[in-house]
Amino acid sequence: DAQIDFPPGFNVAEHFIDRHLDDGRGSKVAIRSNRGQVTYSELAIRVNRAAHALSAMGLGRGDRVLMVLKDSPDFFYLFWGAIKAGIVPVPVNTLLRRKDYAYMIDNSECSVLAYSAEYGTEVEAALSIATHAPATLLKFDGTAEARLFETGAETFKAVPASATDECFWLYSSGSTGRPKAAVHLHRDMVVTSEFYGVRTLGITVDDVFFSAAKLFFAYGLGNGMTFPLWVGGTAVLLEERPTPHSTFDIIERFRPSLYFGVPTLYASQLQVIDEIRPDLSSIRLCVSAGEALPADIFRRWQERTGTVILDGIGSTEALHIFISNREGKLKPGSSGTLVPGYEAMILDDNDQKVKDGEIGRLIIKGDSTAKYYWRDPEKTAATMMGEWLNTGDSYYRDEDGYFYYCGRSDDMLKVGGIWCSPFEIEATLVEHPAVLEVAVVGRSDPEGLVKPEAWIVLAGEATPDKSLEDDLQSHCKARMAPYKFPRTFHFVDELPKTATGKIQRFRLRLDAQ
Ligand code: 3UK
């Protein structure tokens, strides 16, 4: 039941792109956005041109293309063009800052760095900090795209690959230290599209997909690109930041049948839904992932829209959702039941399986999981345990097979569905002259969504007031991805510590409730 056949020479780009021409879908719209539309045959031609262009730059099997690109058809062309030519695309978060990009340039030793002009300031500054110099820079400001995708041969013979060849990377942040690149294989996107997309969500050729989560997240990559391309559906793209207004606007204009969001966005959409009264009648299903969806948000959304939100847990390492609620088979507040093709175990501290109802560490197994972390054997060993993958999450399972999220086993926070390391926020805050010592913990807001909270011991003369808080927040926003700033502050005389001087974050978390 849970098997997929991969023909020999399998280059996954042929399945996601070229197959649609053979199936007579060439004139169907593959991608729609405020800037226009792209048919499946236009998509296939531009993918081929990208494959030629990258090959002509001297790139070959296994070389990396780092992509700091907004959600646009160009993202599709470059990603699939690279894969078709045996080259490894590495899409990265576009909200990061120069030192993050400098790290990724050095760590990936990318041959090509492609970036949307909007991100030029941080990306170009990163190039001057980085040790490695990518041989080719592609700044997408209109000219590079015209050269890459609008000229040259329209056909390209796919470089043969096998299902277990390396295909693309996605960076994932860790609680301490630097992000690590999860190396995904050719089969992985097929496995997620088939097991979660087709067999769990029931996606078909008639579906129109809109993902508020961006393509550079594994979640958005599946929702907004691989799932539509797997079934020959249509992807709707939003270039800008997803807000309640921009997302409702896109839904009304392009009438998607499937809508993918994160809990924070659903919560902020609910705040304005009575005032905007958007027409959401095209939507047959909504999906949430990235962090747990509070049952209250599920209920309020269903009450206002008549549509259920299917919460499911996925990860960058698993590529997409492996435990999910379904239509007609859901429990609000839970992550749902196993997706076909995946197995799960919940283990105690002695690596023994716990009984239903008991909390333990969730480990999973499935054919879409990343093979290893690039150049990080220690983190690879801690996470990829043979065929099993350590999620780092605490879970329990009820007697009906539904899984319930109970928190992380590290200190990492999910804010708006995106990773946030408390240690990174602390390191940034102590650079501020007013801060002597700081500890950052997660605090649930009234909607049940976690936000970073800073506990600060001030240096010298600094006064704990609103203007200092504003100043600390802008200090953070200038140095880190903008979602990482603390939303609340506590100024204290000292931080709780152990006898050996380690900050006791659990005591702050208790105080924070
Ligand atoms: C947490 C959830 C509770 C959990 C992702 C869907 O989020 C994704 O990938 P990331 O690598 O983070 C993975 C971690 O996020 N998490 C995700 N979804 C849920 N916790 N309920 C949920 N529904 O800690 C997990 O280990 O950023 C989500 C598809 C692909 C993805 N990459």
Side-chain angles (χ1 to χ4, degrees):
D1 165 52
Q3 285 301 314
I4 297 178
D5 286 332
F6 297 99
F10 175 88
N11 184 311
V12 72
E14 298 179 275
H15 294 252
F16 282 90
I17 306 290
D18 303 286
R19 175 168 48 93
H20 301 295
L21 308 190
D22 305 334
D23 289 355
R25 218 170 280 128
S27 55
K28 182 172 179 185
V29 176
I31 311 169
R32 240 183 246 288
S33 78
N34 282 335
R35 286 180 190 261
Q37 58 186 46
V38 178
T39 64
Y40 271 98
S41 65
E42 289 166 334
L43 172 62
I45 289 172
R46 290 177 188 146
V47 165
N48 288 339
R49 286 176 175 151
H52 274 296
L54 292 171
S55 307
M57 288 167 201
L59 277 74
R61 198 181 281 278
D63 290 337
R64 276 82 57 198
V65 176
L66 202 66
M67 299 170 49
V68 193
L69 291 184
K70 61 186 177 193
D71 281 16
S72 59
D74 300 338
F75 185 111
F76 285 51
Y77 309 150
L78 200 64
F79 184 88
W80 292 105
I83 291 173
K84 199 164 178 183
I87 298 159
V88 175
V90 187
V92 302
N93 186 335
T94 60
L95 301 165
L96 298 178
R97 295 292 182 235
R98 56 197 66 186
K99 64 176 181 8
D100 307 305
Y101 293 128
Y103 178 78
M104 290 165 172
I105 291 166
D106 285 339
N107 178 255
S108 67
E109 295 187 331
C110 51
S111 309
V112 171
L113 169 59
Y115 59 103
S116 304
E118 286 89 329
Y119 314 124
T121 312
E122 296 301 321
V123 171
E124 285 157 20
L127 285 165
S128 58
I129 310 171
T131 315
H132 173 73
T136 307
L137 300 179
L138 299 173
K139 182 173 186 168
F140 282 22
D141 54 7
T143 49
E145 304 93 295
R147 203 174 68 238
L148 285 166
F149 310 130
E150 302 307 330
T151 59
E154 295 189 355
T155 57
F156 182 91
K157 196 169 167 350
V159 170
S162 82
T164 52
D165 278 355
E166 298 181 5
C167 187
F168 65 101
W169 300 358
L170 291 171
Y171 276 94
S172 176
S173 348
S175 61
T176 53
R178 298 306 197 145
K180 58 249 188 240
V183 176
H184 279 287
L185 309 182
H186 267 251
R187 68 177 177 205
D188 297 358
M189 290 184 283
V190 174
V191 170
T192 55
S193 302
E194 187 59 30
F195 287 135
Y196 175 70
V198 175
R199 302 195 203 175
T200 303
L201 282 184
I203 59 171
T204 74
V205 65
D206 297 321
D207 275 314
V208 177
F209 300 70
F210 171 46
S211 176
K214 296 292 173 196
L215 297 173
F216 62 75
F217 295 117
Y219 180 45
L221 191 82
N223 310 332
M225 186 174 75
T226 47
F227 299 169
L229 295 185
W230 182 244
V231 291
T234 299
V236 170
L237 299 180
L238 166 68
E239 271 188 15
E240 295 79 26
R241 204 167 67 88
T243 62
H245 285 89
S246 65
T247 47
F248 284 149
D249 184 58
I250 288 280
I251 294 170
E252 292 199 318
R253 194 175 306 194
F254 298 103
R255 304 194 55 77
S257 54
L258 296 166
Y259 170 56
F260 302 83
V262 295
T264 352
L265 182 57
Y266 285 112
S268 55
Q269 288 177 314
L270 279 169
Q271 280 172 8
V272 297
I273 201 164
D274 290 335
E275 171 201 329
I276 299 182
R277 311 185 108 263
D279 174 6
L280 306 179
S281 59
S282 64
I283 299 177
R284 70 174 177 87
L285 272 180
C286 297
V287 174
S288 174
E291 60 186 312
L293 179 73
D296 186 54
I297 296 180
F298 172 91
R299 293 201 187 92
R300 283 158 54 214
W301 184 266
Q302 189 177 30
E303 203 177 278
R304 293 293 195 291
T305 68
T307 312
V308 294
I309 305 176
L310 302 181
D311 188 10
I313 176 179
S315 73
T316 305
E317 290 78 2
L319 189 56
H320 216 276
I321 292 174
F322 47 85
I323 291 175
S324 176
N325 285 285
R326 330 279 144 106
E327 235 185 326
K329 195 184 170 203
L330 64 88
K331 290 194 189 184
S334 89
S335 305
T337 58
L338 270 176
V339 168
Y342 295 89
E343 292 172 54
M345 291 199 285
I346 301 177
L347 302 180
D348 66 15
D349 291 342
N350 302 317
D351 286 343
Q352 300 301 306
K353 285 191 199 172
V354 301
K355 296 197 200 74
D356 282 348
E358 287 175 13
I359 299 175
R361 292 178 292 115
L362 177 72
I363 67 168
I364 62 139
K365 189 170 127 178
D367 283 341
S368 63
T369 58
K371 198 159 139 203
Y372 66 100
Y373 293 123
W374 172 252
R375 287 193 185 156
D376 204 334
E378 282 166 24
K379 286 189 183 127
T380 299
T383 308
M384 287 99 179
M385 308 169 304
E387 292 192 289
W388 291 90
L389 179 79
N390 182 4
T391 63
D393 296 304
S394 299
Y395 262 86
Y396 74 86
R397 203 187 83 140
D398 72 10
E399 65 279 11
D400 302 325
Y402 286 76
F403 290 77
Y404 288 80
Y405 176 75
C406 302
R408 293 282 307 168
S409 46
D410 53 24
D411 286 296
M412 288 296 278
L413 310 176
K414 269 305 187 82
V415 180
I418 320 181
W419 282 129
C420 235
S421 162
F423 305 108
E424 184 190 0
I425 306 176
E426 290 167 6
T428 303
L429 282 168
V430 287
E431 287 170 13
H432 191 284
V435 177
L436 181 66
E437 258 191 321
V438 54
V440 169
V441 294
R443 180 191 177 95
S444 289
D445 71 7
E447 314 217 69
L449 301 167
V450 172
K451 301 285 179 317
E453 172 178 80
W455 293 69
I456 292 179
V457 179
L458 288 175
E461 305 294 285
T463 336
D465 56 14
K466 179 75 175 58
S467 91
L468 177 62
E469 291 184 4
D470 292 345
D471 192 41
L472 291 169
Q473 287 183 333
S474 29
H475 172 89
C476 287
K477 288 180 192 170
R479 287 165 182 77
M480 291 181 294
Y483 49 86
K484 293 176 179 170
F485 69 95
R487 309 301 196 273
T488 47
F489 293 88
H490 292 281
F491 297 102
V492 289
D493 293 333
E494 58 184 336
L495 296 172
K497 288 187 187 151
T498 63
T500 54
K502 220 171 163 280
I503 294 170
Q504 294 170 303
R505 284 198 177 67
F506 73 92
R507 288 182 55 185
L508 297 174
R509 273 195 291 263
L510 289 178
D511 285 349
Q513 276 165 8

